[in-house]
Amino acid sequence: MGTPSADEVTFEAECYAKCSYAELRPHLKYWMGLEAVLLEVNVTAEGDSEFAGMAWTLQIPISRFAGERIYVVLTNGSWVEVKLREEHVPGNFSLLSLNEVACWVIPMDNDSGLVYSVLTDLWPQGISISIDDEREWGGNTYALRNWISQYFSLYKGQLIRVLVYLRAYTGDPGPAVDRVLTYTERVAMGESLSTLKRAIIEELNLEEARAARSNPVTTYMLVAFFAFTALLALLILYYFLRTRGWRQAI
């Protein structure tokens, strides 16, 4: 996919995936502000496709987060604390499932962290999430999944669209969470993703972010933040092979 140069505040990437049951073209566009990144994800069916599910997944390393606490914020403003299990329990990969979720709060180091939200008008009252221990399949990450849809079909030319918002915080994550809650409320009230996207982009202050890249320290922090989000945020598309009874990811 590549990485943006130091003076870029927008970045686009497109890929193509095909298998026996799905043919897709995901297109991603990033807008990178001083403290936050917005991703617009458009997934177009290039052919008739069937899925067991589609989820935007943030994968975080078990070596760093085992035994740590992260938080899930519901659309009603309540917080759910989750301690990430240190030991793998074979056959018991699911750590949590919740509905009507607004965002995640992921503490990092030095009183800082990341607020992470997936916004979609498919689920205006809040998205469903799950946490999977990927050691069940030989992996080394916890998968923080935001379920866009499950057991569905797309016909050629149909499009699924989501917005992914990531905001770094230092100290109190409350203001960043409150901002996300206003976004989810606007979606719940029927505001289109296009209108919300324009509002978020305006709040990112892209011109200020571009000017800040003349500062070597700021440039380093921004590129490091972008690299962190770009490497960890993966769109996982599951499809179910009905005749064989198993699933794959593309």
Side-chain angles (χ1 to χ4, degrees):
M1 184 174 69
T3 56
S5 63
D7 61 350
E8 287 179 327
V9 293
T10 62
F11 183 63
E12 293 187 66
E14 186 173 276
C15 60
Y16 173 78
K18 182 178 181 180
C19 62
S20 300
Y21 279 73
E23 186 177 0
L24 301 170
R25 188 174 299 278
H27 182 93
L28 285 71
K29 185 169 184 179
Y30 293 73
W31 291 266
M32 186 168 62
L34 286 173
E35 298 177 339
V37 172
L38 178 68
L39 290 76
E40 180 183 32
V41 184
N42 291 291
V43 181
T44 303
E46 296 289 308
D48 295 348
S49 304
E50 296 183 0
F51 301 91
M54 183 182 292
W56 181 271
T57 299
L58 186 70
Q59 295 175 307
I60 58 176
I62 291 173
S63 59
R64 165 63 181 82
F65 286 94
E68 299 293 330
R69 287 173 170 80
I70 63 173
Y71 302 87
V72 178
V73 182
L74 305 182
T75 53
N76 64 9
S78 60
W79 291 48
V80 178
E81 181 182 280
V82 184
K83 183 177 180 180
L84 297 173
R85 189 170 59 205
E86 296 183 57
E87 300 298 326
H88 172 50
V89 180
N92 186 14
F93 61 86
S94 179
L95 305 184
L96 179 74
S97 294
L98 287 172
N99 299 320
E100 299 185 1
V101 169
C103 64
W104 308 73
V105 178
I106 307 171
M108 301 291 287
D109 297 315
N110 301 321
D111 203 28
S112 64
L114 184 71
V115 173
Y116 157 54
S117 178
V118 175
L119 302 160
T120 171
D121 50 12
L122 295 174
W123 303 102
Q125 302 305 317
I127 202 164
S128 297
I129 63 94
S130 64
I131 303 177
D132 292 343
D133 183 342
E134 295 197 310
R135 287 174 290 193
E136 180 74 12
W137 305 282
N140 58 4
T141 58
Y142 300 109
L144 313 184
R145 304 197 194 282
N146 298 264
W147 287 100
I148 298 166
S149 194
Q150 293 180 298
Y151 296 102
F152 70 105
S153 298
L154 286 178
Y155 298 105
K156 183 177 181 179
Q158 283 190 300
L159 173 74
I160 285 183
R161 184 184 188 197
V162 299
L163 299 177
V164 182
Y165 180 78
L166 304 106
R167 186 174 189 87
Y169 71 85
T170 300
D172 180 13
V177 170
D178 289 343
R179 181 164 297 190
V180 170
L181 288 172
T182 65
Y183 298 156
T184 57
E185 182 178 357
R186 290 166 69 168
V187 174
M189 294 295 291
E191 185 170 320
S192 71
L193 289 185
S194 295
T195 302
L196 181 60
K197 179 187 75 173
R198 289 193 293 269
I200 295 175
I201 291 172
E202 185 174 345
E203 292 177 4
L204 291 177
N205 296 318
L206 297 181
E207 291 307 315
E208 181 182 345
R210 181 179 285 110
R213 281 158 172 71
S214 61
N215 182 323
V217 175
T218 304
T219 298
Y220 172 80
M221 292 173 61
L222 288 168
V223 172
F225 175 57
F226 182 89
F228 171 78
T229 58
L231 287 173
L232 291 187
L234 303 175
L235 181 64
I236 308 298
L237 303 175
Y238 289 100
Y239 63 93
F240 185 69
L241 302 184
R242 300 178 186 275
T243 58
R244 298 182 184 178
W246 57 285
R247 68 181 185 178
Q248 292 185 348
I250 54 177

